[in-house]
Amino acid sequence: MNPSRRPLIAGNWKMFNGGRAGVELAEACVAFARDLPGVDVVIAPPYTALAAVADTIDGSPVALAAQNLYPKDQGPFTGEISGPMLEECGCTWVIVGHSERRQIFGETDAFVAEKTSAALAHDLLPIVCVGETLQQREAGETLRVVKQQIDAFLDVIARTPKAVAIAYEPVWAIGTGKTAGPTEAEEVHAAIRSWLEKKDADLAKRTRILYGGSVKADNAAALLACPNVDGALVGGASLDAGSFGAIARAARRPS
Ligand code: PGA
């Protein structure tokens, strides 16, 4: 982890804890985050829990993210939620282009770029997700695939001085218990950093590159020790405040 970037640990609750349970989990996250002043803790509940969780974390160090947004401000888009709505709910972050959105809902690179742009237009910092499938990794296409995904939104994030986050999440590691080892993760993170650097040196310095895919309390420290891993996007383990807190503690830097 590079000392110029504060570690960021984000919990993606996916389609879990959309009601009362979400408020309880958020309370528990506030409790551990108060003891971690050097770590940015972000939680991404389902839409139905956003307003209640926003109340719970108000005045605490925990920040609120949505898991998705629609790139238009308002209009006849049944079932969709816009950037201004998320902002009004208290979100300061939004996850964009998660592999489940790309794979299950057919989101393209161009649509992910459009969403990234809409997020930035509304004071929502995007956590833009990229990552290869198992088939692509086995075919030796990991870096080509990830570069193509990043190229689609590179201009968008280079146009703003805001510090966005990119999450490298190998699809084969999400929810499977398989993690990229620190060496595999660092190889891709370093490549991403070099592409950002080529575009703009300051962009490479300010962008936090998170690792995601079966991050747990027992593998977090090794991943977070990699020089280009600036944090983690955590799914399953973020549903338990004990393990999410342990991951966040693993991100602390020696003072
Ligand atoms: P996981 O999910 O930690 O359960 O593998 C990560 C993610 O999908 O963001």
Side-chain angles (χ1 to χ4, degrees):
M1 217 149 20
N2 183 299
S4 69
R5 291 178 292 272
R6 275 166 68 84
L8 169 62
I9 303 296
N12 174 11
W13 295 1
K14 306 194 180 183
M15 205 169 71
F16 295 97
N17 296 332
R20 179 74 226 154
V23 169
E24 283 163 18
L25 180 54
E27 279 164 359
C29 293
V30 166
F32 75 70
R34 288 201 199 282
D35 296 328
L36 295 173
V39 179
D40 289 342
V41 176
V42 175
I43 52 178
Y47 288 138
T48 50
L50 286 176
V53 168
D55 272 351
T56 306
I57 65 176
D58 191 30
S60 86
V62 177
L64 188 64
Q67 298 174 18
N68 184 30
L69 84 167
Y70 193 71
K72 300 280 189 281
D73 288 1
Q74 58 178 20
F77 304 104
T78 303
E80 294 299 319
I81 306 282
S82 71
M85 292 171 184
L86 297 178
E87 246 193 294
E88 204 182 331
C89 255
C91 292
T92 48
W93 290 90
V94 60
I95 298 170
V96 174
H98 189 278
S99 66
E100 285 151 16
R101 304 264 357 140
R102 292 176 186 264
Q103 299 212 313
I104 305 171
F105 302 100
E107 292 193 5
T108 61
D109 286 344
F111 197 39
V112 171
E114 210 185 318
K115 289 183 173 199
T116 305
S117 182
L120 288 164
H122 293 293
D123 267 342
L124 295 164
L125 286 172
I127 299 174
V128 197
C129 304
V130 297
E132 82 288 0
T133 62
L134 184 58
Q135 204 185 9
Q136 289 164 334
R137 174 159 281 262
E138 286 173 345
E141 292 180 340
T142 299
L143 294 182
R144 184 192 63 75
V145 168
V146 173
K147 180 157 193 310
Q148 184 178 314
Q149 291 169 337
I150 288 186
D151 279 347
F153 62 84
L154 191 55
D155 281 345
V156 173
I157 62 170
R159 273 202 293 270
T160 166
K162 295 178 186 172
V164 311
I166 293 175
Y168 167 58
E169 300 203 302
V171 177
W172 49 271
I174 294 179
T176 58
K178 291 185 195 148
T179 347
T183 315
E184 284 169 304
E186 175 60 19
E187 185 198 1
V188 180
H189 282 237
I192 295 173
R193 186 86 59 203
S194 73
W195 302 326
L196 299 178
E197 172 87 45
K198 215 165 156 201
K199 181 79 184 170
D200 171 353
D202 188 65
L203 177 66
K205 280 204 197 91
R206 68 177 180 261
T207 303
R208 284 180 283 187
I209 308 176
L210 316 182
Y211 172 79
S214 297
V215 176
K216 309 280 176 220
D218 59 1
N219 61 21
L223 288 158
L224 292 164
C226 297
N228 285 292
V229 175
D230 305 312
L233 180 55
V234 185
S238 72
L239 299 176
D240 175 80
S243 55
F244 190 47
I247 294 167
R249 278 189 293 280
R252 259 183 314 196
R253 296 202 193 96
S255 46

